[in-house]
């Protein structure tokens, strides 16, 4: 996988950029889930949050690959 | 009943999410860490260090900076008058040697005609004089050849098809023999070199298809693995003055995979791609399952790439 995002000539690994994006999404998602009350269905909330982060990161990585943002 | 089932269901949900996340993480890890790709690739080319074989003032420079030159094109001329003079001098030496030889021969012939009137020693001396003069003529002829070679070498020509780069040579500059005057980047030797971590080497074989992307260029280049470097310098040991080896005593907690240069031959590139020696490239070695659909037929190289990589 080729991963590079250029920000003003500074090339960052795209995984880093995706991880930041995934973190932001997870923060929002966890607020939403707390609002809905979905956390009542799980046993240990921090573990689920970490798992959600990984899932969203994987999703973002495969999505950006599919749409050809980076091969 | 519900008291036992509810926590159990909660744990089941939690664990299944976690297992899913671990699977995704493993896939990501393999994608990023074990697939053979590197961001540490560079466009490389052989550079010919052009130097004159004869020293002297630069009379004229026939090329501009960044000019494309073909093999055999004139690059610059060094002090032609001086070497032309040397050639004339060599011609004069030949004439002189020839005259000496003829005179020696005449003397020998005359003395021979006189027969016993001339001492045997004189006859012997005459023969020796003729031989010496003949040898001197041969030496003069050889010196003329060298002088004529020097005259030919005052015109310095390109030995490869390439581009003159970073030219800083002007008429009036003085160049010593063997002093580098300019650099010509051999355009036939352009290739990509990817520095791959040694942990990824088992996925790389000679002939594997590769995808190359230059920094700042969105289009892919296609190539294949030409060869893998046979060695890199060992940074843990070096030779010392007394021929003994100095080995660094180390015990590192963190060890870094070393990088091995892998030479990639460019097969196809989009029109207008600027393959400039030193550019940064990202190289991905395609795995066998990726290679089959991606390679319909080797297509002819675009015209812009006629001076492309050789072999």
């Amino acid at each position: 996988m080729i991963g590079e995002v250029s920000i003003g000539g500074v090339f960052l690994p795209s995984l880093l950029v995706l991880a930041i994006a995934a973190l932001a999404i997870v923060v929002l998602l966890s607020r939403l889930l707390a609002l809905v009350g979905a956390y009542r269905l799980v046993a240990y909330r921090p573990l689920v949050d970490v798992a959600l982060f990984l899932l969203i990161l994987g999703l973002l990585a495969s999505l950006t690959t599919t749409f050809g943002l980076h091969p | 009943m519900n008291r036992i089932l509810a926590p159990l269901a909660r744990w089941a949900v939690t664990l299944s999410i976690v297992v899913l996340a671990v699977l995704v993480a493993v896939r990501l890890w393999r994608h990023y860490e074990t697939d053979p790709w590197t961001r540490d690739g560079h466009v490389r080319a052989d550079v010919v260090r052009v130097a004159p074989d004869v020293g002297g003032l630069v009379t004229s420079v026939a090329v501009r900076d960044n000019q494309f030159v073909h093999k055999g094109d004139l690059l610059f001329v060094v002090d032609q008058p001086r070497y032309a003079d040397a050639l004339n001098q060599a011609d004069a030496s030949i004439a002189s040697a020839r005259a000496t030889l003829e005179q020696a021969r005449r003397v020998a012939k005359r003395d021979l005609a006189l027969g016993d009137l001339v001492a045997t020693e004189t006859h012997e001396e005459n023969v020796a004089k003729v031989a010496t003069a003949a040898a001197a003529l041969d030496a003069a002829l050889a010196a003329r050849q060298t002088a004529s070679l020097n005259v030919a070498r005052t015109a310095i020509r390109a030995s490869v098809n390439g581009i003159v780069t970073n030219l800083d040579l002007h008429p009036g500059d003085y160049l010593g023999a063997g002093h580098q005057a300019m650099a010509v980047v051999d355009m036939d030797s352009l290739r990509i070199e990817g520095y791959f971590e040694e942990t990824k080497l088992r996925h790389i074989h000679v002939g594997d298809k590769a995808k190359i992307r230059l920094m700042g260029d969105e289009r892919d280049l296609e190539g294949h693995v030409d060869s893998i470097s046979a060695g890199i310098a060992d940074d843990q040991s070096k030779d010392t003055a007394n021929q003994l080896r100095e080995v660094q005593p180390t015990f590192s907690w963190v060890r870094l995979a070393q990088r091995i240069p892998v030479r990639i031959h460019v097969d196809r590139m989009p029109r207008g791609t600027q393959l400039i020696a030193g550019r940064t490239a990202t190289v991905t070695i395609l795995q066998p399952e990726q290679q089959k659909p991606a390679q319909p037929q080797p297509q002819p190289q675009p015209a812009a790439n006629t001076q492309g990589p050789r072999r």
Side-chain angles (χ1 to χ4, degrees):
Chain A
M1 170 177 285
I2 295 173
E4 273 172 345
V5 177
S6 169
I7 298 171
V10 179
F11 280 74
L12 300 175
S14 62
L15 192 62
L16 179 68
V17 177
L18 290 180
I20 294 169
L23 194 67
I25 292 173
V26 164
V27 166
L28 290 179
L29 191 67
S30 108
R31 290 231 175 125
L32 197 72
L33 287 178
L35 220 66
V36 174
Y39 280 118
R40 270 180 302 157
L41 301 176
V42 298
Y44 191 59
R45 185 177 158 172
L47 199 60
V48 172
D49 280 343
V50 172
L52 275 180
F53 169 73
L54 280 174
L55 283 173
I56 284 167
L57 181 58
L59 191 72
L60 283 180
S62 68
L63 277 183
T64 46
T65 310
T66 329
F67 291 124
L69 290 179
H70 58 105
Chain B
M1 185 70 181
N2 207 15
R3 258 191 195 174
I4 308 161
L5 268 184
L8 216 63
R10 269 188 220 136
W11 274 110
V13 170
T14 310
L15 284 181
S16 51
I17 290 176
V18 168
V19 166
L20 210 63
V22 167
L23 287 179
V24 168
V26 167
R27 208 184 120 255
L28 270 178
W29 176 263
R30 282 181 47 180
H31 229 34
Y32 277 91
E33 287 303 319
T34 58
D35 279 2
W37 71 278
T38 181
R39 301 196 299 164
D40 194 8
H42 292 276
V43 180
R44 295 282 307 270
D46 295 341
V47 178
V48 177
R49 294 174 286 273
V50 181
D53 190 31
V54 291
L57 284 176
V58 175
T59 317
S60 64
V61 179
V63 287
R64 287 177 292 106
D65 196 14
N66 300 330
Q67 181 185 330
F68 187 87
V69 290
H70 292 96
K71 193 172 174 175
D73 284 0
L74 182 69
L75 295 178
F76 62 95
V77 178
V78 163
D79 213 354
Q80 209 145 31
R82 188 183 293 265
Y83 292 96
D85 288 350
L87 187 59
N88 290 337
Q89 201 175 358
D91 281 336
S93 305
I94 291 175
S96 159
R98 198 160 270 152
T100 313
L101 177 62
E102 276 160 14
Q103 176 60 20
R105 277 187 181 142
R106 272 197 299 274
V107 169
K109 207 170 154 189
R110 201 164 51 227
D111 286 358
L112 215 57
L114 291 175
D116 284 347
L117 286 174
V118 178
T120 315
E121 291 89 343
T122 314
H123 280 307
E124 284 171 357
E125 267 173 23
N126 285 340
V127 170
K129 269 183 191 159
V130 169
T132 312
L137 179 60
D138 285 346
L141 286 169
R144 190 201 181 274
Q145 267 183 6
T146 308
S148 123
L149 189 66
N150 280 345
V151 170
R153 293 270 168 92
T154 54
I156 287 88
R157 295 176 183 282
S159 59
V160 293
N161 298 322
I163 290 176
V164 175
T165 192
N166 201 15
L167 178 67
D168 185 20
L169 187 72
H170 316 280
D173 284 354
Y174 189 86
L175 280 176
H179 185 85
Q180 188 183 342
M182 62 171 75
V184 176
V185 178
D186 183 357
M187 296 309 278
D188 295 336
S189 73
L190 272 178
R191 74 252 178 195
I192 312 282
E193 274 184 23
Y195 304 137
F196 284 90
E197 288 153 33
E198 52 194 331
T199 51
K200 294 174 177 178
L201 279 180
R202 64 195 165 93
H203 301 291
I204 302 172
H205 313 94
V206 171
D208 280 358
K209 296 289 169 205
K211 208 160 64 174
I212 303 132
R213 187 170 280 198
L214 297 176
M215 188 183 265
D217 199 336
E218 291 301 312
R219 297 166 302 176
D220 285 334
L221 283 67
E222 283 171 25
H224 68 267
V225 177
D226 181 74
S227 54
I228 299 171
S229 173
I232 56 171
D234 183 358
D235 61 355
Q236 290 298 303
S237 80
K238 59 186 179 213
D239 290 329
T240 54
N242 54 6
Q243 295 301 312
L244 294 181
R245 193 144 249 250
E246 181 188 322
V247 181
Q248 298 288 330
T250 55
F251 179 83
S252 27
W253 294 105
V254 178
R255 293 192 301 165
L256 294 179
Q258 299 192 80
R259 266 63 168 174
I260 311 291
V262 173
R263 192 168 168 148
I264 314 278
H265 180 265
V266 179
D267 297 323
R268 217 158 62 78
M269 59 182 180
R271 194 176 288 275
T273 303
Q274 290 168 306
L275 268 191
I276 296 165
R279 275 191 84 170
T280 313
T282 304
V283 183
T284 310
I285 306 294
L286 300 178
Q287 294 303 290
E289 66 268 19
Q290 291 172 284
Q291 285 182 28
K292 277 167 207 153
Q295 277 299 313
Q297 251 119 38
Q299 289 175 23
Q301 295 192 349
N305 188 22
T306 42
Q307 74 273 42
R310 83 178 138 207
R311 259 174 296 132

